[in-house]
Every structure is written in structure tokens, then in C-alpha cells.
Amino acid sequence: MMQTEEISRSRYDRSSETLDSESLRQLLEDGELDTLRWEDDDISLRSAASNSRLPYDKLTAQELVHFPDASDAKASTNLYLFIRNKILQLWLLEPNVELTSEDAIDQLPVPFNSDRRFVRRIHGFLQRYGFINYGNFHRLASALVLTSKRKRVIIVGAGAAGIAAMKQLHFFGFEVVLLEARVSFTSYGLSFIMAEEHSVCLQKRLGGRVHTYHQKDSSVVADLGAMVVTGINGNPIVTMMRQTQCTPVRITPDCPIYDEYGKLVDQRKDELVAEAFKQVALKIGDTASYIAHTLGITEVNGKKLSIADAYNNIL
């Protein structure tokens, strides 16, 4: 019993030392450290990697380019993967607040936080490529400075992607100008905040296809686009929904239709409308495919023919 306690104490003491990556790798090689010994972490680390669109137990091709030193031995790979997955886990646990490299170092278990430079490299990679610190989060540190001379980026289009790119580039330290074709200055809510912080050229509304239609003199409300999140696992939209406290509603096979007064449409009428729409969509789709692939018509008046254009021309 005494001998077991001494061995355990010896390992604990060595784990508490400040070690560099080489020393950590050697301990892993010797079997004195095990990245899987935190059994309560294993499932959540796997989940964190999966929800970040990364494999749990191997490096991606992109990671291999940035971390060749993490692939030269199994111990090096395990060390990298544990730190990477742990940082992802820390971010996903609280995505409303920026996860700084110093926070990551403080929250990593000893001795895996000993090589602070290595942890900062991994944190920097995950942040640079949008695996952490994205969306609508509270910034703790000042804006990053990538170059001595601040560069300007112009983004065309104030849709969801344009706004997300604007916020992320501003976080990276760029001066950002966001342009939108339908211009009309507004000074309320999100638009005003963005105009103040990011020099936004505004339209009557932001969001592109993300728009809710309100019919005048009626209670009719309809979402015209981007109201469905397709796929939950590994989708960053889900993280951003958590940041904005949006509660998802699971889509069921039943999708009832309501009239302009909010009353449920008779099921028989509902089925007739659904069948008619299905038949029309199939015929239009077949015709559009025939026009493009059989007749070879891919342009109209010198403009590329999109699927939407094909539908409109056929109708």
C-alpha cells in the first residue's frame, strides 16, 4: 500500500511541474500520463469535436499543415488532440463569452497547460479558422492586430453571411465596410450599432433572405427565408442560436396550413394544395432540366439562367 501511494504521489508531483511539449510527450510515451484518464471528459470531448466539425481522434489535412510537429509520434498527436478538443469543449460550454488563450491555459488540466506557447498556437489556429470565438459573443480582449497597418475590407451584401463575416473580420482587427444595394439609412436596433462600430452602408432592413413578412391591415405573418436549420450536429448556426437565446422547434412530418385569420385549413384542402404544388414543382423541374441540359439554353439576354429564372420563365 505504501509503495502504491509513493508511485501515485510521484506521478502527481511530476504532473505539477512546468513542462515543455517534449517533456510531456516523453511522459505520454512512458505511460505516466494518459489523456483519457479524465473519464468524465471523454464523452464531452468527443461531442465537442463532433459539434465543431472535426474528427475526435485524428488531425485534419489543414491541421497537419499547421502542426507538423504534432504528427511525428503517437504521443505528440494525442497531446495535440487532447488540448484541441478541450479548448473546443471550453468554448462550447459558454459560447456567449470570448475564450481567450489565457483562459484556456488556466482551465486546461495540469500538466497539459505547461507548454503555454503550444496551447496558444492551438488556440490561435482554432480562432483563426472559426472553430471558436465566432458569432454573437462578448469580447473580453481588445481587437486583434494582425499587421502594423490596419487593413480595410469591403464586404458586398448585408445578408447573414455578410454580417457574420463583418463581425469576425472586425474581431480580427480589420477595418470593415459593409455595402448593401438597397440603401436607406436607419438608426435603430442592430443597424444603428453596426453603423457605429463597423461603418455600415445600410438598407431598410438587414439580413438578406432572412426576413419576416407582415401583411398590412392583417395579422398574417410569414417567414420568407432561412427559417429552417437543416442538421443540428456540427452546425455553427446552432451555437449562434444559443448565443441569441433562440429556441429551436423540431419539424414534424405534419405541417398544417393556416388561413389569413389564423384558423386551421381543412385537412382535405391541405392535401389537395400539397399534391398540386408537388405536381407543379415536378413538371417545372423537369422542364427546367430539359431546357438547360437537352436544349443547351443556359443564358437569357446574356445573363446566366438560374433555377429561379427558369421557374419564372416557365410560369
Side-chain angles (χ1 to χ4, degrees), residues 264-300:
L264 192 65
V265 172
D266 178 75
Q267 185 176 355
R268 178 56 182 162
K269 291 182 179 179
D270 187 338
E271 292 172 352
L272 288 172
V273 171
E275 182 61 28
F277 178 81
K278 178 181 176 181
Q279 294 301 322
V280 170
L282 286 173
K283 289 180 180 179
I284 292 177
D286 290 342
T287 306
S289 177
Y290 175 78
I291 291 174
H293 299 293
T294 304
L295 300 182
I297 300 174
T298 58
E299 293 186 3
V300 174

Side-chain angles (χ1 to χ4, degrees), residues 196-215:
E196 289 291 315
E197 291 186 358
H198 309 296
S199 303
V200 183
C201 188
L202 295 169
Q203 58 169 331
K204 291 182 179 179
R205 61 174 181 81
L206 299 180
R209 288 175 292 173
V210 182
H211 181 54
T212 301
Y213 170 76
H214 298 266
Q215 184 171 312

Side-chain angles (χ1 to χ4, degrees), residues 28 33-38 41-42 45 56 78-79 82 112:
L28 286 166
L33 283 179
D34 183 5
T35 55
L36 298 180
R37 70 178 181 175
W38 287 273
D41 261 356
D42 188 43
L45 291 180
Y56 165 78
N78 288 343
L79 175 62
F82 178 78
F112 297 101

